[in-house]
Amino acid sequence: MDEYVKIIVEGKTYEFPIILGSEGEKAIDISKLRQMTGLITMDPGFVNTGSCISNITYMDGEKGILRYRGVPIEQLAENSTFVETASLLINGILPAKNELNRFSVLLNDNSLVHEDMQIFYQNFPRGAHPMSILSSMVNALRSFYPALQTVEEEINITVTRLLSKVRTMAAMSYKISKGHKVVYPRPDLSYAANFLNMMFDTPVKPYKIEEDLVKALNVFWILHADHEQSCSTSAVRIVGSARVNLYAAISSGIAALSGPLHGGANQAVIEMLTHIIENSIKVEQVIQRAKNKKDPFKLMGFGHRVYKSYDPRAKIMKKYCDKLFEKFNFHDPLLDLAKELEEAALKDDYFIEHHLYPNIDFYSGIVLRAIGIPTNMFTVIFAIGRMPGWIAQWKESADDPNWKLNRPRQIYMGQPKTDYVPIEER
Ligand code: CMC
């Protein structure tokens, strides 16, 4: 039997249907609420609000579940590559061998960036953050690659261009920031190996590709590939709802991701750990500060809006972190400190009561450091990983026949009507 929720307004009862998701999640469909009752809902931060029906990613924050198109993240991290996972997210199913090959060839064919774009890079101020540069450059892509003839061709080529070029652009920005010669993509290398080669190959020291590092980067990207309606994904959908082009929508996602409460947390974690070590701050002091409501300090890399248990991505990231460190006999004092902090926090009543566990960013920065990525590039690496998710979400919303311009309402609590007073009378 269909379920309803009854809302009584001024003695009159209205019924609103309950929508049931494929994993048993429930939502009250209030799309006709204002029309029927004249009321709107108030939900700052959208803590209780579903913005869309989606077939892409399933998360269960209580049980620590994350699946892309139904496939558990653990299985993808173990067996898949980033390119295959991107195809799964964007097209809805795991690709057949020939489809995956075709996709890889297309990515290679579109990997070069218009030479004139290099001039843009050279004109950003030296200290500009790579995320601001990436957001601007992705938006600029539309001027270099205008719309194609048919909608179908336009979407497929734009999607492939974006996925491929964003990796080249990220590596290019790093090289230019160092004053080094740009390294071009090579068609014989995989997506991740190509990226590492473009970042670290130099005329004086050719880059030696280590398969374990390539695997670690693939896992990093797979774990970041989608996270349903995160802040940046919502930005992509909201901006996209105005029917802007894909580059503009993704550029807004990159800007949202750069914040320290979202993707920027991976950089913030490393900065926090470094600060603790450099200033010889004790673990107990850090925990005390994080608990102090009068102190704005938060334990970066801890807590999540949806996960109220251990972030499943953090579990996998930590495992790969340990594997990598053992294999290459790495040692990083930041990893030792991170583990100490985690142990102390997970025993602490405040963290237990608030359901605060490490999120993916707690260990991901340490993995990126081990790969050799500089700290200010961490969020850029996250953005490359999130690209398939943003694209899949943008495509899903663009294809939705019921899609509407996203435009929330508000409750006004400002001044009532106030007459204009000429300046000399104020
Ligand atoms: N350290 C200390 N206290 C915390 C933390 C933290 N990291 N995170 C949440 N809390 C407390 C918060 O003070 C609040 O306490 P109270 O209810 O007593 O006032 C309670 O936990 C709920 O926190 P909230 O900020 O209202 O919860 P939220 O769902 O809005 O926040 C969050 C989620 C990720 C913004 C927050 O946990 C946070 O700021 N964490 C640190 C930044 C971080 O690691 N961000 C990366 C998120 S994962 C990557 C991604 O997917 O974007």
Side-chain angles (χ1 to χ4, degrees), residues 227 230 257 260-263 265 269 290-291 293 297-306 308 311 313 350-351 354 356 359-361 382 386:
H227 217 213
S230 69
L257 187 74
L261 295 190
H262 191 9
V269 168
K291 291 167 18 171
K293 289 287 155 218
F297 173 78
K298 278 186 174 185
L299 193 56
M300 298 312 283
F302 258 73
H304 197 273
R305 171 62 60 79
V306 181
K308 298 302 166 202
D311 178 342
R313 306 167 303 167
Y350 172 92
F351 284 82
H354 286 75
L356 297 171
N359 59 53
I360 188 161
D361 293 317
F382 185 159
R386 185 53 57 86

Side-chain angles (χ1 to χ4, degrees), residues 98-115:
N98 62 336
E99 289 167 334
L100 184 57
N101 287 343
R102 203 174 330 123
F103 189 41
S104 302
V105 169
L106 261 182
L107 287 172
N108 265 330
D109 288 351
N110 284 283
S111 60
L112 284 171
V113 170
H114 200 297
E115 284 289 314

Side-chain angles (χ1 to χ4, degrees), residues 397-412:
S397 61
D399 292 344
D400 182 351
N402 299 318
W403 192 243
K404 279 186 163 37
L405 173 75
N406 281 202
R407 204 295 187 191
R409 296 252 172 186
Q410 63 160 28
I411 293 294
Y412 177 71

